[in-house]
Amino acid sequence: MKYISTRTPQKAYNLRETAFLGLAPDGGLFIPECIPQVSLDVVRALSADSYNALAIYLAELFFGGELSPGQIEQAIDRAYGFSPRLATLAEGLHTLELFHGPTFAFKDFGARFMGALFGLLNDTGRELVILTATSGDTGSAVAGGFYGVPGVKVVLLYPAGRVSPLQESQMTTLGGNIFPLQVDGSFDDCQRMAKAVFSDTAFCRERGITSANSINILRWIPQSFYYFYGWHLWRQATDSKEAPVIAVPSGNYGNLSAGMLAVRMGLPVKRLVAASNANDVIPEFLRTGDFRPRESVRTVANAMDVGNPSNFERMMALCGADFHRLWSGVGGFSASDDEIRRAIGEIWKMYGYLSDPHSAVGYLAMKSSGMGKGFWLSTAHEAKFREVLQESLPAGAMPQELPPALAERLRLPRKYGEAAADAGSLKEYLTTL
Ligand SMILES: *Cc1c(COP(=O)(O)O)cnc(C)c1O
């Protein structure tokens, strides 16, 4: 399987190049040169067995040319000791919970797969350094995904005092090959520092520095796998022969564009719904045909606070830049902070179910789609967003206990380096690593 850029489709790259480059040299995003087709009978049979069995089949369709079946199986088993679950809140009301991984958010599905494959693909005999700037969630997923991967060191830049104690403890309590670096500045400073390092290509080549950005093909492709599994679980739960509507809480649109990839691979879906918060660039585009990226605004669903979604290019490329095809296959929805808080309260009151703010947007989108039956994706465990739940739930409804795995992390000692908010001090740090 070869990969091409969304901008210059004439040039093809192999898997190693694609994975280690992250972003295509022309600034575009990588997509597969041709989209493999699934057998739905096989999808059903394997899903009935286990998530990993299904993921191995789907991963082989993409990576079977480069990796042996044994390697793929080993990578999937290393990545996934957990699987998506379908929760039924009431008859006809279903959500696919994607937060049962170690960092309690769906990013585990992409980050852990990438970690497992990076180890296999790095046959240079040289150590790689993965540099990532994070505002919290990505850092914890990447740290978990690459923890213990041989030949890889991970440097995480995060803004001092601006990530939650839970996020910080997920990044700073692993040790080993994970090197968190607390930056005396904002998330934007962290991103600027990382960009400055990446733009010094000679320095990066010399030291084997690469990124684990969310647009990396190794994080993106495995996000298409759980759509198939969710489809199977939903059909089983509902006895439905119809294609479902699937609502996807979205920010940078990696998740939703992976859903589009699943559709192109042959998954029957009636409609994908782009569920956004006040950062509604894509729903607006679907309504008006104008793509107007802008500064993001802060919301209670902050992992979706993206004003210029990188994966827009992938979405367009996946429908052959055919707007009509995109419009008929994808619907848009956006919710205000008040609507999100009210939805969290409503879901608890009516169904006794706790929802995090991001997943609550999916619930609202599903309810308002009017397109028929289906499910929404739940992207994070509610325990990660306790402050918002506290504001949204009636007194006494808030669970007192954190899940044991999270509570335990909070008790462990945190270890991190410290850096001033300038690229020079980051380079110095990387030199001594
Ligand atoms: C990252 C994230 C999202 C947004 O996913 P995209 O792929 O960027 O659209 C939604 N919910 C949670 C909890 C997230 O961490």
Side-chain angles (χ1 to χ4, degrees), residues 105-107 137 223 249-255 303-304 356 358 379-380:
F106 87 100
K107 288 190 174 66
D137 266 1
Q223 292 186 359
S250 295
N252 211 20
Y253 285 82
N255 200 353
M304 295 165 24
D356 98 284
H358 307 81
T379 49

Side-chain angles (χ1 to χ4, degrees), residues 330-395:
V330 183
F333 173 83
S334 94
S336 69
D337 275 3
D338 276 346
E339 288 169 325
I340 296 171
R341 288 196 198 92
R342 271 204 301 275
I344 293 171
E346 173 180 312
I347 298 168
W348 184 81
K349 224 166 44 224
M350 292 179 59
Y351 313 110
Y353 182 87
L354 290 167
S355 174
D356 98 284
H358 307 81
S359 311
V361 179
Y363 162 82
L364 287 171
M366 190 68 217
K367 244 180 48 164
S368 78
S369 92
M371 283 293 295
K373 303 189 170 83
F375 55 92
W376 70 96
L377 305 185
S378 281
T379 49
H381 191 288
E382 100 280 342
K384 293 192 89 167
F385 298 92
R386 285 172 80 85
E387 298 75 17
V388 185
L389 261 79
Q390 200 104 50
E391 301 163 4
S392 314
L393 294 173

